[in-house]
Amino acid sequence: MTYQEAYEQLSSLVDEIENEAVPLDELPGRIRQATELIAFCQQRLRAVDDDYQQALNQLQKRQ
C-alpha cells in the first residue's frame, strides 16, 4: 500500500465516522482500521523525513 492509498482510505473512514454513516456495531472495527492507517502513514512520513535528513546531512558535509 502506498501512502496516498492509505491516506485516501483514512480520509474516507473519517468522513464515514463523522457523518454517522457507520453502524454502531461496525464502529470499533472501523476505528481499529483507522488507527492502523494512521500508524502506517506516520511510519511512511518518518521514513521520508529520515531520508531527507540523511540527504541534508550529506550535503552539509560536502560544503
Side-chain angles (χ1 to χ4, degrees):
M1 174 183 309
T2 67
Y3 174 86
Q4 187 63 36
E5 291 168 339
Y7 184 81
E8 288 171 6
Q9 285 183 24
L10 180 59
S11 293
S12 178
L13 278 170
V14 169
D15 287 343
E16 289 175 1
I17 292 168
E18 286 180 342
N19 293 323
E20 299 177 12
V22 178
L24 185 60
D25 292 334
E26 294 178 19
L27 192 55
R30 299 286 177 95
I31 292 172
R32 260 190 307 279
Q33 185 180 8
T35 301
E36 291 170 4
L37 289 166
I38 290 168
F40 176 84
C41 289
Q42 288 175 331
Q43 183 272 330
R44 293 295 298 138
L45 289 170
R46 273 191 227 102
V48 169
D49 186 54
D50 289 346
D51 290 346
Y52 171 76
Q53 291 300 326
Q54 284 181 345
L56 188 60
N57 287 338
Q58 288 178 357
L59 285 174
Q60 289 174 343
K61 287 179 184 179
R62 290 180 185 172
Q63 294 178 357

